[in-house]
Amino acid sequence: MTRHSMPDIAPDALRQAILSACATRGPAKTVCPSEVARDLAGSNETIWRLLMKPIRREAVRLAKEGEIVIRRKGQIVDPDAFKGIYRLALRAKSERDGSAIDADHVAGDSFGAGTSDPIRPANQ
């Protein structure tokens, strides 16, 4: 692999890394996609940054399949229409069943997204 070439990571490996990170964090918490990229690439910043677009594509697929939700500013977003910074979370059981829920009241994001609380690093 040259210095700036795309790492050769299969979509299934990306999928598993996303699901594993979300499962480890739990259904009431979210994961930053860069955490998934860093888990796969280690300390090589060039490689983990190259993984961000493939991770986003796989996260969209997982969200469309109902495995995870994509959140922006604490709200669940349409996987086909979101922009900017986002986080990933396991889909809550009530969301899988198709129950009517208020996305603002799903077991909250521990990072205070959409509130005046400061954002804390994932390791705290």
Side-chain angles (χ1 to χ4, degrees):
M1 173 169 52
T2 63
R3 183 171 171 222
H4 296 288
S5 66
M6 179 56 83
D8 187 23
I9 298 178
D12 285 344
L14 294 174
R15 176 186 186 89
Q16 191 55 43
I18 292 167
L19 290 172
S20 177
C22 289
T24 298
R25 190 63 51 88
K29 310 257 180 174
T30 62
V31 174
C32 181
S34 68
E35 292 176 61
V36 176
R38 286 181 180 108
D39 285 346
L40 291 166
S43 62
N44 188 323
E45 182 178 353
T46 301
I47 293 175
W48 76 252
R49 287 189 181 277
L50 288 170
L51 288 171
M52 294 301 291
K53 284 184 182 180
I55 287 170
R56 182 183 178 106
R57 281 191 299 270
E58 196 58 37
V60 166
R61 279 189 206 104
L62 286 165
K64 287 180 177 181
E65 292 171 8
E67 295 293 322
I68 65 169
V69 292
I70 299 173
R71 292 182 173 269
R72 178 158 164 71
K73 296 183 179 181
Q75 307 247 344
I76 296 173
V77 297
D78 178 345
D80 288 323
F82 72 100
K83 294 181 181 181
I85 297 170
Y86 65 100
R87 296 185 66 85
L88 308 171
L90 290 178
R91 183 173 294 277
K93 183 181 182 326
S94 61
E95 295 165 329
R96 283 191 198 126
D97 295 342
S99 304
I101 59 166
D102 180 350
D104 291 333
H105 295 96
V106 173
D109 184 335
S110 67
F111 292 89
T115 69
S116 60
D117 294 340
I119 296 175
R120 296 182 302 253
N123 60 353
Q124 290 185 352

